[in-house]
Amino acid sequence: MESNPLRVVSLLPSATDILAVAGAVDLLVGRSHECNWPSGVERLPILTGAVNQFINSKQMDDVVNASLERGEGLYFLEQELLKELKPDVIVTQDLCNVCSVDLQLVQKTVDQLSIKPRILTLNPQKLSDVLEDIVKVGKAVGCQQQSETTVTALKQRVHKAREVAKGASKDCKPITVAFVEWLDPLFVGGHWTPEMIQMAGATHPLNKPIGNGGAGPSIRIPNEALVEADCDWIIVCPCGFTIEDTKKEEDLLSTKSWWQNLRAVKEGRVVIVDGNQMFARPGPRLVDALEFLVGLLHNRPALIPADFPWTWWDTQKETASAASKPKSQSPDTNGKASSNTAKDSSQVPDSSDSADVSNQVPNGSSSSCGGIDVACNGTASNSCALPVGSSSQDHTDTLDSSSKQLTAAEHAGGATQGGASKAGQQTAQQSKSALQSGVQGGSIAGQQTAEQSEESSGSAEGRARQGAGERKWGAAPFLGAEIEEAHAAAIHAGDH
């Protein structure tokens, strides 16, 4: 006689993400108030909620500290509803009491049930722990084979992303990254995030990984620490914030003179990532985040998953008062990268804001590593762009190969396909710079014949305009023949 399927409750978003890629999302009968992926889980009964209402970053930090000092929890659990749902398995965590309902409250509620479900607790510290948790959850809910298939695909993507990063950063000055996880007060990322930045060929000096693992919890830092570090890149990804949430609090930093004088701000290398979906959730989409890091830091836009939620920080205010203009390899040499950034990932910046696309690394100057003007081998051109004997097409193909074979693993195997369209989030200057770097070695220049290069710009413009209606990055403003061709070539590379 066939047994009834298990009834599963997830009390944290990352667990729901894991259940989805393990093929067990249909077993869910209840969720936390923050579980919102994959689409469809919103219909499930909600078992948790926040005790305090969020107003702004400073207010929430004060409330959290006061609650913890009093020994009070930050979340409530609908205990009667949990009893009614009669779950066989409850997936929860014991990593962070600030992030979701605490284990003690869950255990106290379960102790009152006549038939006690199994409590599966997750406590990852690094990326490999997260991958192990996928198998752990899969086994617990009877989906071991699917979970193992998913992890195999994810591991392949991790390996290939790291290989691209290794090749792209060969003989280059290490890229430094500040990962901002809270705006007021400032917190920088911990646990798996610094480790992933290191995997992407960069360093996170404000909270370094311990050995070959995670970095411990995120830490509060004074403003002076961020100033002193003066990192090449700043990634703003407040925990639990959507991109729009973060934009509402941009003035917490953008109006400060110390922020305006940071090198990454002046040179347009500050991005916002959706912290409600990415990095803060220790689930399968951390691999998407790793690919994003590699693509961003090493000018490989085709590596960034097509649906990855990110945009440029609005540097209009900062650059308006800055004494010096951004360098030629920054996202926008006119110093207005984010003020003209597309509102979503399907758009391309307006052509009226495009910079001179010929403004690349000048002859005789050092090449760019990750869009940063630093010396690489003391030579010009693209000495640091790719490993010796390889091309960007090789790396794009290897990142896509495993995903095309594993459709059963859903999101876990297919994040890199079509990733080149994400270049549409960048300003015209950065798009051209990044795409030229990402398809160097034949995808653009190598495919253009001498006859094509000799044709008049008007003819090229006409051909590009004629095909604009069929392009894959949507009905965005026409950017000019060269940039349109760069986008098309990069997307073609990503599709093959």
Side-chain angles (χ1 to χ4, degrees):
M1 183 176 179
E2 187 176 343
S3 60
N4 293 326
L6 290 175
R7 298 173 62 83
V8 180
V9 160
S10 171
L11 297 182
L12 67 158
S14 60
T16 301
D17 291 8
I18 288 173
L19 287 162
V21 299
V25 71
D26 290 340
L27 301 179
L28 281 170
V29 296
R31 64 177 177 96
S32 81
H33 64 292
E34 295 178 315
C35 295
N36 55 10
W37 189 87
S39 178
V41 299
E42 296 92 342
R43 63 179 173 78
L44 295 170
I46 299 173
L47 287 154
T48 66
V51 173
N52 303 293
Q53 181 181 3
F54 175 85
I55 299 175
N56 57 54
S57 292
K58 183 63 170 66
Q59 165 265 342
M60 183 51 65
D61 182 70
D62 291 341
V63 166
V64 167
N65 289 331
S67 297
L68 295 178
E69 286 178 5
R70 295 192 299 265
E72 299 173 355
L74 301 174
Y75 301 92
F76 62 82
L77 178 64
E78 297 285 1
Q79 301 183 32
E80 291 302 318
L81 178 58
L82 183 64
K83 295 176 184 178
E84 293 175 9
L85 291 175
K86 299 178 180 179
D88 300 300
V89 178
I90 298 174
V91 189
T92 187
Q93 59 90 38
D94 191 26
L95 180 67
C96 174
N97 291 341
V98 176
C99 300
S100 63
V101 63
D102 63 89
L103 178 62
Q104 290 72 27
L105 180 57
V106 177
Q107 187 64 63
K108 180 180 177 180
T109 302
V110 167
D111 288 343
Q112 300 173 12
L113 302 179
S114 56
I115 300 178
K116 294 177 173 52
R118 175 184 177 184
I119 299 177
L120 186 61
T121 305
L122 307 181
N123 188 26
Q125 303 293 321
K126 54 187 178 179
L127 182 57
S128 60
D129 292 343
V130 174
L131 300 181
E132 291 174 4
D133 279 347
I134 295 175
V135 176
K136 178 181 177 180
V137 171
K139 288 181 179 180
V141 298
C143 296
Q144 179 175 346
Q145 183 176 354
Q146 177 65 62
S147 65
E148 290 176 347
T149 299
T150 294
V151 169
T152 297
L154 291 171
K155 286 182 176 179
Q156 289 173 349
R157 287 171 56 194
V158 169
H159 173 74
K160 289 164 185 174
R162 296 185 70 176
E163 286 297 300
V164 173
K166 182 179 178 181
S169 58
K170 181 179 175 63
D171 298 323
C172 289
K173 177 184 177 181
I175 300 169
T176 56
V177 177
F179 190 94
V180 178
E181 196 170 275
W182 199 254
L183 297 177
D184 189 13
L186 283 178
F187 276 77
V188 292
H191 295 302
W192 46 84
T193 298
E195 174 199 29
M196 290 166 57
I197 290 171
Q198 187 169 286
M199 288 179 175
T203 62
H204 187 253
L206 291 167
N207 193 13
K208 297 180 181 180
I210 302 170
N212 294 320
S218 60
I219 59 173
R220 179 175 176 173
I221 63 167
N223 300 340
E224 292 78 10
L226 192 59
V227 172
E228 184 178 354
D230 201 19
C231 293
D232 299 314
W233 284 88
I234 299 175
I235 299 174
V236 182
C237 184
C239 182
F241 276 38
T242 65
I243 290 175
E244 289 306 312
D245 292 336
T246 301
K247 286 183 175 182
K248 292 176 183 177
E249 296 202 350
E250 276 185 324
D251 284 351
L252 291 173
L253 298 178
S254 63
T255 58
K256 305 296 191 296
S257 60
W258 63 265
W259 171 264
Q260 296 168 6
N261 289 323
L262 292 174
R263 186 161 48 92
V265 174
K266 288 182 177 181
E267 299 175 3
R269 289 194 297 269
V270 184
V271 299
I272 300 173
V273 174
D274 187 327
N276 184 46
Q277 300 184 59
M278 298 297 167
F279 287 104
R281 292 192 185 188
R285 290 190 289 174
L286 284 185
V287 178
D288 292 30
L290 175 61
E291 291 169 337
F292 163 76
L293 288 171
V294 175
L296 177 74
L297 300 178
H298 302 292
N299 277 342
R300 300 295 193 275
L303 306 187
I304 300 176
D307 58 349
F308 194 87
W310 73 285
T311 190
W312 293 97
W313 178 274
D314 187 351
T315 58
Q316 185 177 29
K317 296 177 182 178
E318 293 90 331
T319 55
S321 61
S324 61
K325 292 183 179 180
K327 298 182 181 180
S328 61
Q329 287 296 314
S330 66
D332 191 322
T333 56
N334 290 326
K336 48 187 177 183
S338 293
S339 62
N340 301 307
T341 299
K343 297 300 182 182
D344 58 59
S345 61
S346 66
Q347 293 181 325
V348 177
D350 191 282
S351 58
S352 64
D353 297 309
S354 61
D356 180 6
V357 294
S358 64
N359 189 17
Q360 305 302 317
V361 179
N363 291 333
S365 69
S366 61
S367 67
S368 172
C369 292
I372 302 166
D373 295 331
V374 293
C376 304
N377 299 331
T379 60
S381 187
N382 287 290
S383 61
C384 287
L386 294 170
V388 176
S390 65
S391 71
S392 61
Q393 180 66 55
D394 298 331
H395 296 303
T396 302
D397 287 343
T398 56
L399 274 161
D400 285 342
S401 61
S402 64
S403 61
K404 292 179 180 178
Q405 299 170 6
L406 294 162
T407 55
E410 296 183 25
H411 185 81
T416 61
Q417 299 183 44
S421 62
K422 183 57 68 177
Q425 286 187 310
Q426 305 176 27
T427 62
Q429 169 65 15
Q430 177 68 358
S431 297
K432 182 64 176 179
S433 174
L435 286 167
Q436 280 195 328
S437 175
V439 296
Q440 194 71 31
S443 297
I444 297 177
Q447 290 180 358
Q448 292 179 329
T449 64
E451 291 77 14
Q452 285 176 317
S453 64
E454 292 173 357
E455 289 178 349
S456 67
S457 60
S459 176
E461 194 92 352
R463 289 196 308 275
R465 283 185 181 275
Q466 187 175 9
E470 299 177 0
R471 60 192 179 184
K472 292 188 178 182
W473 54 94
F478 181 76
L479 297 178
E482 291 189 64
I483 294 178
E484 294 282 341
E485 289 174 7
H487 277 289
I491 290 174
H492 178 77
D495 287 344
H496 294 79

